[in-house]
Amino acid sequence: MSTDEFLLDQVRRNRDAEAFNELAQRHMDMVYATCLRVLGNVHDAQDVAQTCFLELARRRPPVRTLGGWLHALATSRAIDRIRGDQRRRNREQRYADETAHAVTPEWDDIQAYVDEAIAALPDSLRDPIVLHFLERRTKASIAKDLGISQPAVAKRIAKGLDQLRTELHRNGVGVDAPKLDGMLHAAPLSTAPAALAQSIGRLALSGVVNGTTATSGGLLSTLSSGATAAGRLLLHNWIVTAAAIVTLA
């Protein structure tokens, strides 16, 4: 299996649509699940996840592995969506109410806060945490992608869990590292809807990675600030039109 670094290089050097699509398919479920945990809404999660891959197509992040970078981006964009929103205040009040009498919080109590804490970790710790717990990658696979040994991966995961626990505690979420480890391992995974997979597949074919979407900035801005139904229709029409042009060419 090609590493993220190799695929990113193909996208940067050759504007390879297939490489971009493989990267997107590889990390799509994690990005969608992250958005869903923060937003708690399937439609919003789908919109924000789509925005993340539009940004990936345009920004070419200078990283070896995309997992940590995409997770931080998805968390940031999802929080932007609800910042100042009543949903955020409701979420915080709900957590306070649910944990006021709880001896030990459970996954359902803390899942909406875990991603913000993970995003706050340094890259060296966030990458293995995201790849291992949120993408269910083995330590051997992570070691290969990061270019380090398996013991080093295990050490970073342990250190990352400790800092993650500290970060959660700073935000009023008290849970010890072993309990957090168990929660992350047992957390259910969310699969991206077929519609999201299809739209990102079209995105790869539409010419985004070939630099033919210079006018898509306005669309990206619209999606990032809160994709409306009209915005989603515009995106769909834009993708279909671009794909048709590429096909005719």
Side-chain angles (χ1 to χ4, degrees):
M1 181 178 69
S2 300
T3 64
D4 284 356
E5 185 178 25
F6 174 80
L7 293 172
L8 280 169
D9 188 61
Q10 292 300 301
V11 173
R12 291 189 191 108
R13 291 176 180 272
N14 305 320
R15 296 176 178 175
D16 189 332
E18 289 186 11
F20 175 82
N21 188 56
E22 186 173 342
L23 284 170
Q25 299 299 322
R26 181 177 295 180
H27 299 288
M28 187 187 310
D29 287 347
M30 181 274 292
V31 170
Y32 170 75
T34 299
C35 295
L36 185 60
R37 281 191 297 272
V38 176
L39 293 165
N41 178 284
V42 170
H43 298 295
D44 285 349
Q46 217 171 316
D47 279 350
V48 175
Q50 191 164 245
T51 301
C52 291
F53 287 103
L54 276 167
E55 291 201 39
L56 171 61
R58 293 170 57 81
R59 291 174 60 179
R60 312 288 195 274
V63 293
R64 293 188 65 174
T65 60
L66 268 183
W69 185 87
L70 278 170
H71 176 270
L73 178 66
T75 302
S76 175
R77 293 294 173 266
I79 291 172
D80 286 346
R81 175 66 69 93
I82 62 173
R83 181 165 281 131
D85 193 300
Q86 184 62 41
R87 285 176 297 174
R88 185 178 180 87
R89 292 189 287 274
N90 289 345
R91 186 185 74 164
E92 292 171 351
Q93 184 59 51
R94 185 171 63 252
Y95 175 77
D97 293 342
E98 289 172 349
T99 59
H101 306 292
V103 176
T104 303
E106 299 300 329
W107 176 250
D108 287 345
D109 300 323
I110 72 169
Q111 63 171 324
Y113 304 88
V114 166
D115 294 290
E116 292 176 63
I118 292 175
L121 296 174
D123 292 350
S124 61
L125 301 181
R126 184 174 65 242
D127 284 345
I129 289 289
V130 169
L131 295 175
H132 185 59
F133 291 110
L134 304 186
E135 295 194 341
R136 298 294 198 264
R137 297 272 298 277
T138 65
K139 292 184 177 71
S141 173
I142 297 170
K144 180 180 178 182
D145 275 10
L146 296 181
I148 59 178
S149 66
Q150 288 189 54
V153 170
K155 186 176 181 179
R156 289 188 187 186
I157 289 173
K159 187 174 181 180
L161 279 173
D162 191 52
Q163 289 197 24
L164 182 56
R165 181 197 60 78
T166 300
E167 190 67 30
L168 285 168
H169 183 72
R170 186 177 294 121
N171 291 320
V173 182
V175 58
D176 59 37
K179 174 73 173 178
L180 183 58
D181 184 306
M183 285 182 178
L184 289 169
H185 270 119
L189 298 178
S190 297
T191 302
L196 176 61
Q198 291 167 4
S199 65
I200 291 176
R202 295 190 198 102
L203 177 65
L205 294 173
S206 69
V208 171
V209 297
N210 292 322
T212 60
T213 58
T215 61
S216 65
L219 173 62
L220 180 60
S221 176
T222 299
L223 286 169
S224 297
S225 62
T228 62
R232 288 194 294 273
L233 179 60
L234 175 61
L235 173 63
H236 173 75
N237 292 340
W238 169 68
I239 289 174
V240 170
T241 301
I245 292 171
V246 171
T247 301
L248 288 172

